[in-house]
Amino acid sequence: LMGASLARLIAGESGLPGALAFKVIGIALIATAPFVVVMAFWHTSDVVPGAVDNMSGVAVLAGLARYLEEASGNGEFHPRKTEVVLLACSSEEAGLRGAKRYAARHKSEFEDVPTRALIIDSVHDERFLTVFKRELWPGAKHDPGMVALVRDSARAAGYEPKVAIMPLGASDAAAFTLAGIPSTFVCCMDSSRIVPHYHTRLDTVDLIRPQSLACALALTIETLKRIDGS
């Protein structure tokens, strides 16, 4: 919009055949200016870690890494036929760029070896445990088999998840699904509304229930067991 209005300014009245369109865009820019002013107040010196979204997911990933390291020596389940990739992507908020780049770069590997992706995002309260079957914004319909697998794994771990459609936003699972990789994503947050800590300065560590991290880790390990034994 800024580029279009600038082109209109440079071109004057006769420089472009569609000059009226740029006039309309310029008016739209003026109308939206108050929103820009409001956004200026969203940036403060109060820095928060983004604990729920999504340092909590990274914490579960770190917990899985520790489990896999210790399980190989203490008799616990350890995958024998499955390669596990622990992946934390950057730039999820910028159009899922990190996950898209990873999926594109490793596409040939995914085609050679049956691959599945389980994304953990926003682990806040296990009472809102949800497995998502679709994400509307990016147009991603997650693999039904993967959704059922994760749902059943959660039940086997002692939790009853909800299976839902994500109406707003997107997760890294969408990037893998759109790349043809059976995927889904799990969260432990109320997705039926915009919660106060969603992308705000309120997203602090004290919000996270330790039980929610245990829940996400348990269902991830159970999912891995079922994939390795299939």
Side-chain angles (χ1 to χ4, degrees), residues 49 65 154 178:
L178 295 174

Side-chain angles (χ1 to χ4, degrees), residues 80-162:
R80 296 186 300 110
K81 299 181 294 182
T82 307
E83 178 186 24
V84 182
V85 177
L86 305 177
L87 175 68
C89 296
S90 71
S91 310
E92 187 250 30
E93 304 295 352
L96 312 178
R97 290 183 182 181
K100 286 179 179 178
R101 182 66 58 85
Y102 183 89
R105 183 172 294 172
H106 296 273
K107 185 175 181 180
S108 61
E109 299 169 33
F110 300 148
E111 292 171 348
D112 290 341
V113 180
T115 303
R116 303 184 187 194
L118 172 59
I119 304 301
I120 307 295
D121 198 328
S122 299
V123 184
H124 166 229
D125 189 333
E126 74 284 357
R127 292 170 292 189
F128 294 103
L129 175 61
T130 307
V131 182
F132 288 92
K133 61 182 179 180
R134 288 182 63 190
E135 299 181 45
L136 296 183
W137 276 23
K141 183 178 180 181
H142 296 313
D143 180 70
M146 187 63 179
V147 172
L149 173 64
V150 176
R151 179 201 61 203
D152 294 343
S153 297
R155 288 173 176 170
Y159 302 94
E160 185 57 45
K162 179 174 69 172

Side-chain angles (χ1 to χ4, degrees), residues 38 44 64 74 82 100 114 154 160 174 199 230:
V38 171
T44 74
L64 180 59
N74 63 12
T82 307
K100 286 179 179 178
E160 185 57 45
H199 289 188
S230 65

Side-chain angles (χ1 to χ4, degrees), residues 16-77:
L16 293 171
L20 178 61
F22 292 106
K23 247 181 207 177
V24 172
I25 291 173
I27 293 171
L29 280 170
I30 294 170
T32 57
F35 296 101
V36 178
V37 173
V38 171
M39 289 180 67
F41 293 95
W42 290 7
H43 300 272
T44 74
S45 58
D46 300 328
V47 178
V48 295
V52 174
D53 185 13
N54 187 31
M55 289 303 293
S56 61
V58 176
V60 174
L61 195 71
L64 180 59
R66 178 179 294 177
Y67 167 84
L68 291 173
E69 180 183 23
E70 295 176 352
S72 59
N74 63 12
E76 296 287 338
F77 161 74

